[in-house]
Amino acid sequence: MSCDCLGWALEGVRGLHPYQPGKPVEELERELGITGIIKLASNESPLGPGEAALAAGRQALDDAARYPDGSGFRLKARLAEQLGVTAQQVTLGNGSNDILELVARTWLQPGAECVFAEHAFAVYPLVTRVTGAQAVVVPARDWGHDLEAMADAVTEATRLVFIANPNNPTGTWVGADALRTFLDRVPERVVVVLDEAYFEYVREAGYPDGLELLSRYPNLIVTRTFSKARGLAGLRIGYGLSSPEIADLLNRVRQPFNVNSVALAAAEASLDDAAHLERSVRVNSEGLRQLADGCGRLGLEYIPSVANFLSIDTGRDDAMPVYDGLLRRGVIVRPVANYAMPRHIRVSVGLESENARFLAALEEVLDR
Ligand SMILES: *Cc1c(COP(=O)(O)O)cnc(C)c1O
């Protein structure tokens, strides 16, 4: 149906391409008439939530008639204690994506520029373009962020820079020295978001902890999430860490009850469950190795990853038929042509048996 109002939608909105989520298991099982499908498409934790988080979430449901604590008092206090910051430095979000959007809405408008890397997380162009600001996409180097080129791309109009460390969907990371050099070069009037959604997984020497940079760089915002290593993606909860003054600005923009009570309770409980997190990280590093070894056996190149997924070069100019072939064998992965990576598929690390099933299906599809 056509309507005059459609043409009056903001230009930034009309120019957007919607985010493409991974296909839900139930939908594909209906479509193909098969069962037992595995989904390795959205970088979710194969272990799921820990018992403590589940129990706390269930208990919070009893109070579902009440609005949640709009200030997130308890969770912020617990995060502050664990991370060595003050509660005034924490902004809670409906997933860390919520924080990314709050930041964009706080600093971007038509005429402003936002800098991020080629192959960077798809939400950066989304939250940028909807404001009418200009996205400045800086070519990648070896699939990763080229921080020197990104600093060069900063102009008088730049208000915001997004850095994903590690980046999704490439799994690449930037080191502490390169990051400091970058932050030293960027003027303080430019806000830098350091997106650490996969922080907990990374054990590489030289991988920077954004928190340690906060006191030195007042224009820095670090974002983290409960969606990945802590297995709470469905509850939608993440957070930003910044100066109290930046947190105060973000707090004015956010909706009063942007985080729900079940998420608040489960997230808080998950912070005390170090054993579950440790398990999650161990299963992931073993799985990454399993996937990389499997690719080696199949003679496939992949982008070395420190996150919970691996982007694999299918050896074909168009990975879509490989994606389709995997689907028909009951394995959902992610095509990444929308990230300018048409040859690759991205597979999330699963349980050992799931990784093995993926590799077997891939071998069949590629006829290796
Ligand atoms: C998954 C992911 C997030 C986390 O999103 P949530 O909204 O917290 O679920 C943020 N940044 C990147 C780069 C991601 O891949």
Side-chain angles (χ1 to χ4, degrees):
M1 194 166 58
S2 170
C3 167
D4 280 351
C5 67
L6 301 178
W8 287 98
L10 301 181
E11 203 177 310
V13 175
R14 280 183 285 140
L16 287 180
H17 300 284
Y19 179 82
Q20 298 284 350
K23 227 176 210 310
V25 168
E26 295 77 20
E27 186 184 322
L28 190 69
E29 293 194 335
R30 254 193 329 270
E31 263 177 47
L32 298 181
I34 55 178
T35 54
I37 286 176
I38 57 170
K39 183 184 176 207
L40 301 174
S42 300
N43 302 344
E44 296 148 339
S45 167
L47 295 182
E51 278 309 319
L54 271 181
R58 285 198 185 102
Q59 196 178 1
L61 268 179
D62 291 343
D63 256 339
R66 307 256 176 226
Y67 279 102
D69 171 10
S71 71
F73 179 82
R74 286 170 49 122
L75 178 59
K76 278 189 191 171
R78 189 73 193 83
L79 274 170
E81 181 188 341
Q82 200 166 90
L83 299 174
V85 297
T86 66
Q88 289 70 38
Q89 293 181 267
V90 184
T91 305
L92 299 178
N94 191 14
S96 57
N97 277 285
D98 193 20
I99 307 289
L100 303 179
E101 192 181 19
L102 293 180
V103 174
R105 288 174 59 207
T106 303
W107 277 280
L108 297 182
Q109 63 177 344
E113 293 176 0
C114 175
V115 173
F116 50 85
E118 181 189 19
H119 315 304
F121 187 39
V123 169
Y124 308 154
L126 263 181
V127 299
T128 299
R129 293 193 173 116
V130 74
T131 67
Q134 182 70 35
V136 177
V137 184
V138 177
R141 195 196 309 173
D142 296 333
W143 301 106
H145 290 27
D146 183 346
L147 289 183
E148 254 180 75
M150 288 174 73
D152 289 340
V154 169
T155 70
E156 281 297 313
T158 307
R159 295 287 167 269
L160 182 58
V161 180
F162 285 114
I163 296 173
N165 200 33
N167 182 48
N168 169 21
T170 56
T172 51
W173 57 288
V174 300
D177 292 342
L179 184 59
R180 270 176 192 277
T181 305
F182 172 82
L183 290 167
D184 284 335
R185 276 190 66 192
V186 172
E188 255 185 32
R189 66 181 154 74
V190 177
V191 171
V192 177
V193 172
L194 185 64
D195 180 344
E196 295 185 336
Y198 303 94
F199 176 82
E200 293 87 344
Y201 292 114
V202 189
R203 297 291 153 95
E204 256 61 19
Y207 173 71
D209 179 342
L211 283 189
E212 291 172 5
L213 300 169
L214 278 181
S215 58
R216 175 144 173 206
Y217 302 100
N219 54 335
L220 181 65
I221 303 174
V222 176
T223 61
R224 293 188 185 167
T225 184
F226 291 90
S227 296
K228 305 284 158 60
R230 295 186 189 271
L232 299 177
L235 294 184
R236 312 305 304 126
I237 182 159
Y239 54 98
L241 303 158
S242 65
S243 70
E245 292 79 9
I246 285 182
D248 174 54
L249 286 175
L250 299 179
N251 188 45
R252 300 177 202 192
V253 181
R254 74 176 178 91
Q255 291 183 31
F257 302 107
N258 62 331
V259 181
N260 71 76
S261 47
V262 176
L264 285 171
E268 190 187 340
S270 83
L271 288 176
D272 289 326
D273 195 348
H276 185 68
L277 180 65
E278 204 45 51
R279 221 163 20 247
S280 170
V281 170
R282 181 168 41 77
V283 166
N284 187 65
S285 66
E286 290 167 2
L288 263 183
R289 206 168 321 122
Q290 183 187 1
L291 290 171
D293 288 351
C295 288
R297 268 199 316 282
L298 297 177
L300 294 172
E301 297 203 12
Y302 56 87
I303 306 172
S305 169
V306 295
N308 69 345
F309 53 82
L310 193 66
S311 279
I312 301 170
D313 187 336
T314 58
R316 318 243 172 117
D317 288 337
D318 178 11
M320 275 317 276
V322 178
Y323 165 77
D324 285 328
L326 290 169
L327 269 192
R328 271 181 272 110
R329 286 163 181 79
V331 181
I332 315 177
V333 297
R334 186 66 76 95
V336 282
N338 59 322
Y339 287 93
M341 296 166 63
R343 298 172 58 91
H344 287 78
I345 51 171
R346 188 196 69 192
V347 59
S348 305
V349 175
L351 299 172
E352 187 183 3
S353 57
E354 296 173 323
N355 301 331
R357 230 183 100 187
F358 160 74
L359 287 168
L362 186 62
E363 183 169 2
E364 253 181 62
V365 170
L366 292 175
D367 203 15
R368 297 254 164 173

PDB file of all heavy atoms in Angstrom, residues 37-66:
ATOM      1  N   ILE A  37      18.157 -29.162  13.638  1.00  0.00           N
ATOM      2  CA  ILE A  37      19.014 -28.146  13.031  1.00  0.00           C
ATOM      3  C   ILE A  37      19.883 -27.485  14.098  1.00  0.00           C
ATOM      4  O   ILE A  37      19.441 -27.290  15.233  1.00  0.00           O
ATOM      5  CB  ILE A  37      18.135 -27.095  12.316  1.00  0.00           C
ATOM      6  CG1 ILE A  37      17.574 -27.701  11.032  1.00  0.00           C
ATOM      7  CG2 ILE A  37      18.902 -25.815  12.033  1.00  0.00           C
ATOM      8  CD1 ILE A  37      16.621 -26.802  10.302  1.00  0.00           C
ATOM      9  N   ILE A  38      21.130 -27.155  13.757  1.00  0.00           N
ATOM     10  CA  ILE A  38      21.963 -26.398  14.694  1.00  0.00           C
ATOM     11  C   ILE A  38      22.223 -25.001  14.138  1.00  0.00           C
ATOM     12  O   ILE A  38      22.400 -24.818  12.938  1.00  0.00           O
ATOM     13  CB  ILE A  38      23.308 -27.103  15.011  1.00  0.00           C
ATOM     14  CG1 ILE A  38      24.111 -27.383  13.734  1.00  0.00           C
ATOM     15  CG2 ILE A  38      23.065 -28.380  15.791  1.00  0.00           C
ATOM     16  CD1 ILE A  38      25.522 -27.857  14.031  1.00  0.00           C
ATOM     17  N   LYS A  39      22.199 -24.036  15.040  1.00  0.00           N
ATOM     18  CA  LYS A  39      22.395 -22.645  14.646  1.00  0.00           C
ATOM     19  C   LYS A  39      23.735 -22.138  15.144  1.00  0.00           C
ATOM     20  O   LYS A  39      23.971 -22.067  16.353  1.00  0.00           O
ATOM     21  CB  LYS A  39      21.270 -21.781  15.209  1.00  0.00           C
ATOM     22  CG  LYS A  39      21.358 -20.325  14.776  1.00  0.00           C
ATOM     23  CD  LYS A  39      20.278 -19.475  15.443  1.00  0.00           C
ATOM     24  CE  LYS A  39      20.452 -18.005  15.076  1.00  0.00           C
ATOM     25  NZ  LYS A  39      19.918 -17.126  16.117  1.00  0.00           N
ATOM     26  N   LEU A  40      24.617 -21.845  14.212  1.00  0.00           N
ATOM     27  CA  LEU A  40      25.931 -21.289  14.541  1.00  0.00           C
ATOM     28  C   LEU A  40      26.059 -19.968  13.793  1.00  0.00           C
ATOM     29  O   LEU A  40      27.013 -19.735  13.062  1.00  0.00           O
ATOM     30  CB  LEU A  40      27.041 -22.267  14.121  1.00  0.00           C
ATOM     31  CG  LEU A  40      26.970 -23.668  14.760  1.00  0.00           C
ATOM     32  CD1 LEU A  40      28.022 -24.594  14.158  1.00  0.00           C
ATOM     33  CD2 LEU A  40      27.153 -23.587  16.282  1.00  0.00           C
ATOM     34  N   ALA A  41      25.039 -19.117  13.969  1.00  0.00           N
ATOM     35  CA  ALA A  41      24.920 -17.941  13.098  1.00  0.00           C
ATOM     36  C   ALA A  41      24.919 -16.602  13.821  1.00  0.00           C
ATOM     37  O   ALA A  41      25.032 -15.565  13.181  1.00  0.00           O
ATOM     38  CB  ALA A  41      23.647 -18.050  12.269  1.00  0.00           C
ATOM     39  N   SER A  42      24.773 -16.579  15.123  1.00  0.00           N
ATOM     40  CA  SER A  42      24.613 -15.279  15.791  1.00  0.00           C
ATOM     41  C   SER A  42      25.551 -15.094  16.975  1.00  0.00           C
ATOM     42  O   SER A  42      25.290 -14.260  17.850  1.00  0.00           O
ATOM     43  CB  SER A  42      23.159 -15.098  16.237  1.00  0.00           C
ATOM     44  OG  SER A  42      22.311 -15.151  15.106  1.00  0.00           O
ATOM     45  N   ASN A  43      26.627 -15.862  17.001  1.00  0.00           N
ATOM     46  CA  ASN A  43      27.654 -15.720  18.046  1.00  0.00           C
ATOM     47  C   ASN A  43      27.075 -15.838  19.458  1.00  0.00           C
ATOM     48  O   ASN A  43      27.503 -15.146  20.382  1.00  0.00           O
ATOM     49  CB  ASN A  43      28.399 -14.386  17.886  1.00  0.00           C
ATOM     50  CG  ASN A  43      29.038 -14.269  16.517  1.00  0.00           C
ATOM     51  OD1 ASN A  43      29.181 -15.272  15.811  1.00  0.00           O
ATOM     52  ND2 ASN A  43      29.432 -13.075  16.132  1.00  0.00           N
ATOM     53  N   GLU A  44      26.093 -16.717  19.583  1.00  0.00           N
ATOM     54  CA  GLU A  44      25.502 -16.977  20.888  1.00  0.00           C
ATOM     55  C   GLU A  44      26.340 -18.022  21.616  1.00  0.00           C
ATOM     56  O   GLU A  44      27.055 -18.803  21.001  1.00  0.00           O
ATOM     57  CB  GLU A  44      24.067 -17.490  20.706  1.00  0.00           C
ATOM     58  CG  GLU A  44      23.170 -16.450  20.065  1.00  0.00           C
ATOM     59  CD  GLU A  44      22.075 -17.018  19.181  1.00  0.00           C
ATOM     60  OE1 GLU A  44      22.206 -18.170  18.717  1.00  0.00           O
ATOM     61  OE2 GLU A  44      21.087 -16.305  18.934  1.00  0.00           O
ATOM     62  N   SER A  45      26.230 -18.036  22.953  1.00  0.00           N
ATOM     63  CA  SER A  45      26.995 -19.013  23.718  1.00  0.00           C
ATOM     64  C   SER A  45      26.367 -20.398  23.583  1.00  0.00           C
ATOM     65  O   SER A  45      25.176 -20.562  23.842  1.00  0.00           O
ATOM     66  CB  SER A  45      27.016 -18.627  25.196  1.00  0.00           C
ATOM     67  OG  SER A  45      27.486 -19.731  25.947  1.00  0.00           O
ATOM     68  N   PRO A  46      27.157 -21.415  23.196  1.00  0.00           N
ATOM     69  CA  PRO A  46      26.581 -22.758  23.072  1.00  0.00           C
ATOM     70  C   PRO A  46      26.231 -23.356  24.434  1.00  0.00           C
ATOM     71  O   PRO A  46      25.476 -24.314  24.506  1.00  0.00           O
ATOM     72  CB  PRO A  46      27.704 -23.561  22.391  1.00  0.00           C
ATOM     73  CG  PRO A  46      28.963 -22.834  22.707  1.00  0.00           C
ATOM     74  CD  PRO A  46      28.589 -21.383  22.841  1.00  0.00           C
ATOM     75  N   LEU A  47      26.769 -22.787  25.519  1.00  0.00           N
ATOM     76  CA  LEU A  47      26.457 -23.301  26.859  1.00  0.00           C
ATOM     77  C   LEU A  47      25.180 -22.688  27.421  1.00  0.00           C
ATOM     78  O   LEU A  47      24.615 -23.193  28.386  1.00  0.00           O
ATOM     79  CB  LEU A  47      27.603 -23.001  27.833  1.00  0.00           C
ATOM     80  CG  LEU A  47      28.936 -23.680  27.550  1.00  0.00           C
ATOM     81  CD1 LEU A  47      29.940 -23.320  28.633  1.00  0.00           C
ATOM     82  CD2 LEU A  47      28.766 -25.191  27.459  1.00  0.00           C
ATOM     83  N   GLY A  48      24.751 -21.576  26.843  1.00  0.00           N
ATOM     84  CA  GLY A  48      23.574 -20.899  27.380  1.00  0.00           C
ATOM     85  C   GLY A  48      23.896 -20.206  28.685  1.00  0.00           C
ATOM     86  O   GLY A  48      25.060 -20.087  29.065  1.00  0.00           O
ATOM     87  N   PRO A  49      22.854 -19.742  29.389  1.00  0.00           N
ATOM     88  CA  PRO A  49      23.076 -19.037  30.649  1.00  0.00           C
ATOM     89  C   PRO A  49      23.527 -20.005  31.735  1.00  0.00           C
ATOM     90  O   PRO A  49      23.256 -21.208  31.646  1.00  0.00           O
ATOM     91  CB  PRO A  49      21.692 -18.480  31.006  1.00  0.00           C
ATOM     92  CG  PRO A  49      20.768 -18.862  29.900  1.00  0.00           C
ATOM     93  CD  PRO A  49      21.438 -19.898  29.058  1.00  0.00           C
ATOM     94  N   GLY A  50      24.177 -19.494  32.761  1.00  0.00           N
ATOM     95  CA  GLY A  50      24.501 -20.314  33.924  1.00  0.00           C
ATOM     96  C   GLY A  50      23.276 -20.517  34.801  1.00  0.00           C
ATOM     97  O   GLY A  50      22.298 -19.769  34.691  1.00  0.00           O
ATOM     98  N   GLU A  51      23.359 -21.511  35.673  1.00  0.00           N
ATOM     99  CA  GLU A  51      22.222 -21.847  36.555  1.00  0.00           C
ATOM    100  C   GLU A  51      21.833 -20.667  37.443  1.00  0.00           C
ATOM    101  O   GLU A  51      20.646 -20.394  37.657  1.00  0.00           O
ATOM    102  CB  GLU A  51      22.586 -23.043  37.445  1.00  0.00           C
ATOM    103  CG  GLU A  51      22.416 -24.397  36.775  1.00  0.00           C
ATOM    104  CD  GLU A  51      21.035 -24.566  36.142  1.00  0.00           C
ATOM    105  OE1 GLU A  51      20.038 -24.136  36.772  1.00  0.00           O
ATOM    106  OE2 GLU A  51      20.948 -25.101  35.027  1.00  0.00           O
ATOM    107  N   ALA A  52      22.818 -19.967  37.972  1.00  0.00           N
ATOM    108  CA  ALA A  52      22.534 -18.866  38.904  1.00  0.00           C
ATOM    109  C   ALA A  52      21.755 -17.754  38.194  1.00  0.00           C
ATOM    110  O   ALA A  52      20.781 -17.214  38.733  1.00  0.00           O
ATOM    111  CB  ALA A  52      23.836 -18.319  39.478  1.00  0.00           C
ATOM    112  N   ALA A  53      22.166 -17.438  36.975  1.00  0.00           N
ATOM    113  CA  ALA A  53      21.482 -16.387  36.216  1.00  0.00           C
ATOM    114  C   ALA A  53      20.051 -16.805  35.899  1.00  0.00           C
ATOM    115  O   ALA A  53      19.108 -16.009  36.014  1.00  0.00           O
ATOM    116  CB  ALA A  53      22.253 -16.090  34.926  1.00  0.00           C
ATOM    117  N   LEU A  54      19.884 -18.070  35.521  1.00  0.00           N
ATOM    118  CA  LEU A  54      18.547 -18.582  35.205  1.00  0.00           C
ATOM    119  C   LEU A  54      17.630 -18.493  36.418  1.00  0.00           C
ATOM    120  O   LEU A  54      16.479 -18.044  36.317  1.00  0.00           O
ATOM    121  CB  LEU A  54      18.638 -20.039  34.772  1.00  0.00           C
ATOM    122  CG  LEU A  54      18.868 -20.316  33.289  1.00  0.00           C
ATOM    123  CD1 LEU A  54      18.903 -21.816  33.050  1.00  0.00           C
ATOM    124  CD2 LEU A  54      17.781 -19.658  32.455  1.00  0.00           C
ATOM    125  N   ALA A  55      18.146 -18.926  37.560  1.00  0.00           N
ATOM    126  CA  ALA A  55      17.331 -18.926  38.772  1.00  0.00           C
ATOM    127  C   ALA A  55      16.925 -17.500  39.139  1.00  0.00           C
ATOM    128  O   ALA A  55      15.763 -17.238  39.473  1.00  0.00           O
ATOM    129  CB  ALA A  55      18.110 -19.584  39.911  1.00  0.00           C
ATOM    130  N   ALA A  56      17.860 -16.574  39.046  1.00  0.00           N
ATOM    131  CA  ALA A  56      17.559 -15.175  39.395  1.00  0.00           C
ATOM    132  C   ALA A  56      16.537 -14.591  38.424  1.00  0.00           C
ATOM    133  O   ALA A  56      15.621 -13.854  38.820  1.00  0.00           O
ATOM    134  CB  ALA A  56      18.844 -14.354  39.392  1.00  0.00           C
ATOM    135  N   GLY A  57      16.681 -14.916  37.143  1.00  0.00           N
ATOM    136  CA  GLY A  57      15.739 -14.422  36.137  1.00  0.00           C
ATOM    137  C   GLY A  57      14.335 -14.949  36.385  1.00  0.00           C
ATOM    138  O   GLY A  57      13.346 -14.217  36.306  1.00  0.00           O
ATOM    139  N   ARG A  58      14.254 -16.243  36.707  1.00  0.00           N
ATOM    140  CA  ARG A  58      12.940 -16.856  36.982  1.00  0.00           C
ATOM    141  C   ARG A  58      12.275 -16.190  38.179  1.00  0.00           C
ATOM    142  O   ARG A  58      11.079 -15.914  38.180  1.00  0.00           O
ATOM    143  CB  ARG A  58      13.106 -18.351  37.263  1.00  0.00           C
ATOM    144  CG  ARG A  58      13.362 -19.160  36.033  1.00  0.00           C
ATOM    145  CD  ARG A  58      13.097 -20.644  36.274  1.00  0.00           C
ATOM    146  NE  ARG A  58      13.481 -21.391  35.092  1.00  0.00           N
ATOM    147  CZ  ARG A  58      14.613 -22.080  34.974  1.00  0.00           C
ATOM    148  NH1 ARG A  58      15.454 -22.145  35.994  1.00  0.00           N
ATOM    149  NH2 ARG A  58      14.896 -22.709  33.860  1.00  0.00           N
ATOM    150  N   GLN A  59      13.084 -15.929  39.192  1.00  0.00           N
ATOM    151  CA  GLN A  59      12.526 -15.317  40.386  1.00  0.00           C
ATOM    152  C   GLN A  59      12.034 -13.897  40.093  1.00  0.00           C
ATOM    153  O   GLN A  59      10.989 -13.480  40.608  1.00  0.00           O
ATOM    154  CB  GLN A  59      13.580 -15.303  41.496  1.00  0.00           C
ATOM    155  CG  GLN A  59      12.959 -15.056  42.845  1.00  0.00           C
ATOM    156  CD  GLN A  59      13.988 -15.090  43.957  1.00  0.00           C
ATOM    157  OE1 GLN A  59      15.195 -15.277  43.721  1.00  0.00           O
ATOM    158  NE2 GLN A  59      13.518 -14.910  45.166  1.00  0.00           N
ATOM    159  N   ALA A  60      12.755 -13.193  39.252  1.00  0.00           N
ATOM    160  CA  ALA A  60      12.360 -11.817  38.926  1.00  0.00           C
ATOM    161  C   ALA A  60      11.015 -11.795  38.200  1.00  0.00           C
ATOM    162  O   ALA A  60      10.278 -10.813  38.272  1.00  0.00           O
ATOM    163  CB  ALA A  60      13.444 -11.157  38.079  1.00  0.00           C
ATOM    164  N   LEU A  61      10.687 -12.881  37.519  1.00  0.00           N
ATOM    165  CA  LEU A  61       9.409 -12.947  36.799  1.00  0.00           C
ATOM    166  C   LEU A  61       8.218 -12.790  37.745  1.00  0.00           C
ATOM    167  O   LEU A  61       7.167 -12.280  37.355  1.00  0.00           O
ATOM    168  CB  LEU A  61       9.290 -14.288  36.072  1.00  0.00           C
ATOM    169  CG  LEU A  61       9.790 -14.330  34.637  1.00  0.00           C
ATOM    170  CD1 LEU A  61       9.625 -15.736  34.088  1.00  0.00           C
ATOM    171  CD2 LEU A  61       9.049 -13.331  33.769  1.00  0.00           C
ATOM    172  N   ASP A  62       8.384 -13.235  39.000  1.00  0.00           N
ATOM    173  CA  ASP A  62       7.291 -13.107  39.974  1.00  0.00           C
ATOM    174  C   ASP A  62       6.850 -11.654  40.138  1.00  0.00           C
ATOM    175  O   ASP A  62       5.715 -11.377  40.483  1.00  0.00           O
ATOM    176  CB  ASP A  62       7.736 -13.650  41.353  1.00  0.00           C
ATOM    177  CG  ASP A  62       7.923 -15.155  41.319  1.00  0.00           C
ATOM    178  OD1 ASP A  62       7.420 -15.793  40.371  1.00  0.00           O
ATOM    179  OD2 ASP A  62       8.574 -15.690  42.240  1.00  0.00           O
ATOM    180  N   ASP A  63       7.762 -10.744  39.891  1.00  0.00           N
ATOM    181  CA  ASP A  63       7.473  -9.314  40.059  1.00  0.00           C
ATOM    182  C   ASP A  63       7.228  -8.621  38.720  1.00  0.00           C
ATOM    183  O   ASP A  63       7.377  -7.404  38.609  1.00  0.00           O
ATOM    184  CB  ASP A  63       8.660  -8.627  40.755  1.00  0.00           C
ATOM    185  CG  ASP A  63       8.352  -8.340  42.213  1.00  0.00           C
ATOM    186  OD1 ASP A  63       7.148  -8.304  42.544  1.00  0.00           O
ATOM    187  OD2 ASP A  63       9.308  -8.170  42.997  1.00  0.00           O
ATOM    188  N   ALA A  64       6.821  -9.399  37.726  1.00  0.00           N
ATOM    189  CA  ALA A  64       6.714  -8.846  36.375  1.00  0.00           C
ATOM    190  C   ALA A  64       5.681  -7.721  36.267  1.00  0.00           C
ATOM    191  O   ALA A  64       5.730  -6.928  35.329  1.00  0.00           O
ATOM    192  CB  ALA A  64       6.385  -9.952  35.372  1.00  0.00           C
ATOM    193  N   ALA A  65       4.779  -7.625  37.198  1.00  0.00           N
ATOM    194  CA  ALA A  65       3.779  -6.550  37.142  1.00  0.00           C
ATOM    195  C   ALA A  65       4.394  -5.186  37.461  1.00  0.00           C
ATOM    196  O   ALA A  65       3.837  -4.156  37.114  1.00  0.00           O
ATOM    197  CB  ALA A  65       2.644  -6.834  38.120  1.00  0.00           C
ATOM    198  N   ARG A  66       5.536  -5.195  38.125  1.00  0.00           N
ATOM    199  CA  ARG A  66       6.189  -3.942  38.514  1.00  0.00           C
ATOM    200  C   ARG A  66       7.141  -3.466  37.426  1.00  0.00           C
ATOM    201  O   ARG A  66       7.790  -4.287  36.763  1.00  0.00           O
ATOM    202  CB  ARG A  66       7.027  -4.136  39.781  1.00  0.00           C
ATOM    203  CG  ARG A  66       6.275  -4.750  40.912  1.00  0.00           C
ATOM    204  CD  ARG A  66       5.924  -3.705  41.938  1.00  0.00           C
ATOM    205  NE  ARG A  66       5.116  -4.295  42.980  1.00  0.00           N
ATOM    206  CZ  ARG A  66       4.010  -3.737  43.466  1.00  0.00           C
ATOM    207  NH1 ARG A  66       3.599  -2.580  42.985  1.00  0.00           N
ATOM    208  NH2 ARG A  66       3.318  -4.318  44.409  1.00  0.00           N
TER     209      ARG A  66
END
